[in-house]
């Protein structure tokens, strides 16, 4: 079963947060993405490439020092 789009999109950001400990990297990636609406393509048909640390960790951890 494929994860819904929101989970796939979140996992891509989470992978950045886990592999790049820089809030600037994450902020840059978020700025580059297009807003999601009903015309957006379904990323749930793809398998995001995730690091081992991301795959081993919880789905919804805090991703910055403020939690
Ligand atoms: Zn989808």
């Amino acid at each position: 079963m494929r994860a819904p789009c929101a989970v796939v999109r979140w996992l891509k950001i989470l992978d950045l947060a886990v592999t790049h400990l820089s809030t600037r990297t994450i902020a840059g990636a978020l700025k580059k993405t297009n807003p999601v609406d009903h015309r957006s393509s379904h990323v749930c048909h793809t398998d995001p490439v995730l690091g081992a640390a991301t795959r081993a960790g919880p789905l919804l951890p805090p991703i910055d020092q403020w939690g």
Side-chain angles (χ1 to χ4, degrees):
M1 185 163 74
R2 301 264 178 205
C5 285
V7 174
V8 173
R9 291 178 192 278
W10 165 248
L11 285 172
K12 288 179 179 178
I13 291 299
L14 179 62
D15 193 57
L16 267 186
V18 169
T19 58
H20 298 75
L21 297 177
S22 156
T23 52
R24 190 174 297 174
T25 302
I26 300 163
L30 289 172
K31 270 186 201 153
K32 272 191 288 178
T33 60
N34 295 317
V36 177
D37 63 19
H38 65 283
R39 293 164 299 186
S40 302
S41 61
H42 269 268
V43 295
C44 59
H45 299 299
T46 65
D47 285 320
V49 178
L50 303 173
T54 307
R55 282 185 270 121
L59 177 62
L60 299 171
I63 62 169
D64 63 28
Q65 66 267 43
W66 300 285

